Amino acid sequence: MPTDLEEAAALDGASAWITFVKIMWPLARPGVLSAAMLTLMGLWNETLLALVFITDDKKYTLPQSLLALQGTMQYTSDWGDYSPESSSSSFPPSYSMPFLANG
């Protein structure tokens, strides 16, 4: 972030809070929200951690159960069962992006 903007706001008499809210945050928001979205997607798709700690089939997370379903389809092509679950697995990260992108 350019410090010149901060200094110019201070010369104009803006407080530190006003400088942050009106000048710095609008410039930083796209980067902060992009990092938040990438973190959300990484946490949502963290199946390795779930595979290590969750051993009961009834307590699987959605990405973990999707992986288990894909493993059962090794010699079949029953995509009718796989497609709705994969769509529901991608729903939270995909549909939270417009809300995060618009701030």
Side-chain angles (χ1 to χ4, degrees):
M1 304 296 296
T3 58
D4 296 342
L5 294 174
E6 225 173 322
E7 292 170 0
L11 286 174
D12 287 342
S15 67
W17 176 251
I18 295 296
T19 302
F20 175 74
V21 171
K22 298 283 186 179
I23 297 170
M24 300 311 242
W25 176 245
L27 292 173
R29 183 175 51 199
V32 170
L33 295 179
S34 295
M37 186 62 206
L38 290 172
T39 302
L40 171 72
M41 288 177 58
L43 290 174
W44 179 255
N45 292 323
E46 183 61 58
T47 57
L48 180 61
L49 190 66
L51 283 171
V52 170
F53 290 113
I54 301 174
T55 56
D56 187 15
D57 293 350
K58 297 193 184 304
K59 295 181 181 178
Y60 277 176
T61 62
L62 192 55
Q64 188 178 9
S65 63
L66 184 63
L67 186 63
L69 180 64
Q70 186 178 10
T72 61
M73 293 175 39
Q74 185 174 3
Y75 300 110
T76 64
S77 60
D78 188 15
W79 296 104
D81 290 340
Y82 186 74
S83 182
E85 190 167 347
S86 64
S87 298
S88 64
S89 176
S90 65
F91 179 78
S94 300
Y95 289 100
S96 64
M97 183 58 184
F99 298 111
L100 287 175
N102 291 333

